[in-house]
Amino acid sequence: MAIIKPFRGIRPIKELADKIAALPYDVMDSDEAREMVKDNPYSFLHVDKAEIDLPKDIDPYDDRVYDKAKENLDSMIKNRFYIEDEKPNYYIYRQVMKGRSQVGLVGCASIDDYTNNIIKKHELTREDKEIDRINHVYKCEAHTGPIFLTYRENKDISNIINEWIKREPIYDFKSEDEVCHTVWIVDDENTVIKINELFKSVEYLYIADGHHRSASAVKVGHIKRAEKEDYTGEEEFNYFLSISYPDSELEVLDYNRTVKDLNGLSREEFLNKVSEIFVVTESNEPVKPKEKHTFGMYLEKQWYLLEAKEGIFNPEDPVDQLDVSILQNNLLRPILGIDDPRKSKRIKFIGGIRGLKELERRADTDMKVSFSMYATTTDDIMDIADSGKIMPPKSTWFEPKPRSGLFIHKF
């Protein structure tokens, strides 16, 4: 049984919502963030990446950065860029990108559900990235970026959401990337109670995106428990900000690869080795795979369709049958020498949102060969999490990404 609870949201005044809402902190570096905010003093990046308001040579993990984040957040609240709702509510957040809608319920999830694996994970986390967010959350005493959760659809919850979004929204704007953002506040007490009860029939929640943020929020919760010996479990630090989407609302995009060189092989030697593992067919047009276990490959201005031969993976193993695993285990590692894609400097990952042209551009300039992938599915994510296994790195890419700064959960 999953616990999702309402909270007293701290949220932008309507006039500033579009200016405050910012992309997640981890999709850009500090220089890119500085460029994004140069004409926007309201951007939430002043909180999420506070180093942009300090000297350029400062370490992003310096304590002064977290102090600045708290200072900026407190200032935005003090200057009434934000309001705080008087009672706990839920919020509905809809994004529309290129005609496709993604609707989720904003609330708070339980750190105990995370610890007890009611909230399931499919990705490993890095300690340095966890420490960064632990410091940020602890110093700000707030969760500022919602964790992206999914669950197997519950029709009763979906019906409530679908009825509620017929009402007047509190925010409705288009961001600079042409994504439309609309928010409704669910402030009817009976509806809030009904949603609470319905989530008790949701067996598991799954982290779609935000493993580092969720792990950090949980660790901060445990730190706060240690500081408050008489904690009851009801304190706000026992919960973290989340957006829960039914699996029917999500679309996982492809996460493509491009590699620097052919590992000392000639073009012919490389193609011969690939042909031992895959059926290789030349294509007169760019290849965007249309089914599992097929791949596009772009090499020296020529596209190829690769089809995995029988017997090179275990179809009963939820990880081994993933296309990212098939490519890694049968081509990237044994042929191109990419043993650890998380650490290798010879491979780059390109979100499917960039399109096939970007794969061509990279292979024609600073890289050598590119691979287009068939997207991992939400079912794949859930199956792997249910089996207690871990997905290979860079397996999923979600768009649109929920904006930070629209909802703040103070504890």
Side-chain angles (χ1 to χ4, degrees):
M1 157 179 109
I3 296 173
I4 293 291
K5 68 182 286 291
F7 68 106
R8 290 179 60 190
I10 297 175
R11 53 187 180 83
I13 61 173
K14 189 170 185 178
E15 296 78 9
L16 292 180
D18 61 328
K19 297 177 178 64
I20 287 175
L23 286 168
Y25 74 96
D26 55 356
V27 302
M28 82 287 288
D29 61 27
S30 299
D31 288 338
E32 290 171 324
R34 286 187 178 92
E35 184 67 21
M36 289 177 179
V37 306
K38 65 180 182 180
D39 297 320
N40 183 8
Y42 304 105
S43 172
F44 202 71
L45 290 177
H46 292 286
V47 176
D48 260 358
K49 292 186 76 69
E51 70 269 19
I52 64 178
D53 294 325
L54 295 168
K56 286 193 69 173
D57 60 350
I58 195 167
D59 185 332
Y61 302 146
D62 190 294
D63 284 345
R64 288 171 291 173
V65 174
Y66 308 112
D67 289 336
K68 188 64 175 176
K70 176 175 174 51
E71 177 188 325
N72 287 346
L73 177 59
D74 290 348
S75 175
M76 293 174 83
I77 295 173
K78 181 180 178 181
N79 290 331
R80 299 185 180 178
F81 298 169
Y82 278 90
I83 58 175
E84 182 174 10
D85 288 319
E86 294 182 358
K87 60 186 180 66
N89 303 307
Y90 284 112
Y91 306 85
I92 298 169
Y93 182 23
R94 182 180 70 194
Q95 294 170 283
V96 179
M97 184 180 76
K98 297 181 179 179
R100 185 187 171 277
S101 173
Q102 175 178 285
V103 184
L105 184 75
V106 183
C108 286
S110 164
I111 69 171
D112 290 321
D113 278 0
Y114 180 98
T115 303
N116 296 328
N117 212 34
I118 301 299
I119 298 174
K120 296 198 171 190
K121 310 90 181 165
H122 66 261
E123 186 179 296
L124 295 174
T125 57
R126 283 173 37 189
E127 184 179 14
D128 60 333
K129 294 180 74 172
E130 276 192 33
I131 291 172
D132 170 48
R133 286 300 101 177
I134 288 171
N135 290 336
H136 189 277
V137 170
Y138 185 86
K139 179 65 71 170
C140 291
E141 296 183 309
H143 304 122
T144 58
I147 312 305
F148 197 141
L149 301 177
T150 188
Y151 58 95
R152 291 186 170 89
E153 184 174 16
N154 178 298
K155 293 294 185 183
D156 291 328
I157 297 173
S158 295
N159 288 340
I160 290 174
I161 291 173
N162 291 335
E163 282 300 313
W164 205 269
I165 63 177
K166 295 176 183 178
R167 304 185 181 206
E168 185 75 17
I170 55 172
Y171 307 130
D172 190 12
F173 63 91
K174 182 182 289 187
S175 52
E176 72 285 346
D177 55 1
E178 298 299 308
V179 175
C180 296
H181 304 261
T182 311
V183 175
W184 293 263
I185 181 170
V186 182
D187 53 3
D188 174 71
E189 187 174 344
N190 290 330
T191 304
V192 167
I193 293 171
K194 181 67 173 175
I195 292 172
N196 293 345
E197 290 302 311
L198 286 171
F199 264 99
K200 292 179 181 178
S201 65
V202 173
E203 189 173 8
Y204 298 111
L205 296 165
Y206 300 81
I207 300 174
D209 197 12
H211 282 77
H212 288 92
R213 278 173 286 147
S214 53
S216 302
V218 171
K219 288 182 178 179
V220 170
H222 286 291
I223 291 170
K224 299 297 285 187
R225 285 181 175 181
E227 293 175 350
K228 183 178 172 62
E229 294 181 2
D230 59 344
Y231 82 90
T232 66
E234 295 302 313
E235 298 89 354
E236 289 300 319
F237 58 70
N238 293 287
Y239 303 90
F240 58 87
L241 184 62
S242 65
I243 306 180
S244 300
Y245 298 90
D247 54 355
S248 60
E249 285 292 315
L250 297 188
E251 180 182 21
V252 190
L253 300 185
D254 41 308
Y255 213 162
N256 301 314
R257 279 91 167 114
T258 186
V259 179
K260 186 76 173 175
D261 56 66
L262 298 184
N263 198 28
L265 300 171
S266 68
R267 178 179 179 276
E268 291 71 24
E269 290 170 334
F270 172 69
L271 286 173
N272 286 338
K273 286 183 175 292
V274 172
S275 297
E276 295 173 7
I277 308 297
F278 299 88
V279 176
V280 181
T281 307
E282 288 191 4
S283 174
N284 293 325
E285 57 187 28
V287 178
K288 184 174 178 62
K290 295 181 172 59
E291 58 183 341
K292 281 189 170 186
H293 314 328
T294 64
F295 310 81
M297 183 174 74
Y298 180 75
L299 173 66
E300 296 183 4
K301 298 190 181 298
Q302 175 65 56
W303 276 98
Y304 301 86
L305 172 66
L306 309 185
E307 300 173 83
K309 290 184 178 180
E310 202 169 318
I312 70 168
F313 64 92
N314 179 3
E316 303 302 317
D317 186 319
V319 175
D320 199 51
Q321 61 85 33
L322 286 176
D323 285 353
V324 289
S325 298
I326 292 170
L327 189 71
Q328 175 63 32
N329 296 340
N330 297 281
L331 196 160
L332 296 179
R333 179 184 295 121
I335 299 176
L336 291 179
I338 308 291
D339 292 325
D340 187 344
R342 288 173 296 184
K343 297 180 180 179
S344 175
K345 296 181 179 179
R346 295 172 51 230
I347 187 170
K348 301 294 182 184
F349 302 89
I350 299 177
I353 193 78
R354 305 287 296 276
L356 300 181
K357 286 293 184 184
E358 179 64 8
L359 293 180
E360 293 179 349
R361 186 189 73 80
R362 295 300 297 270
D364 289 341
T365 54
D366 60 322
M367 306 302 273
K368 181 66 176 180
V369 58
S370 293
F371 300 93
S372 57
M373 312 289 295
Y374 185 78
T376 303
T377 67
T378 307
D379 283 340
D380 287 330
I381 293 171
M382 291 180 169
D383 289 345
I384 288 169
D386 285 340
S387 69
K389 296 188 175 184
I390 298 299
M391 296 186 81
K394 310 296 185 182
S395 296
T396 58
W397 183 277
F398 289 94
E399 287 284 353
K401 296 186 181 299
R403 293 268 162 153
S404 294
L406 287 176
F407 315 97
I408 296 172
H409 172 233
K410 289 281 280 184
F411 56 80

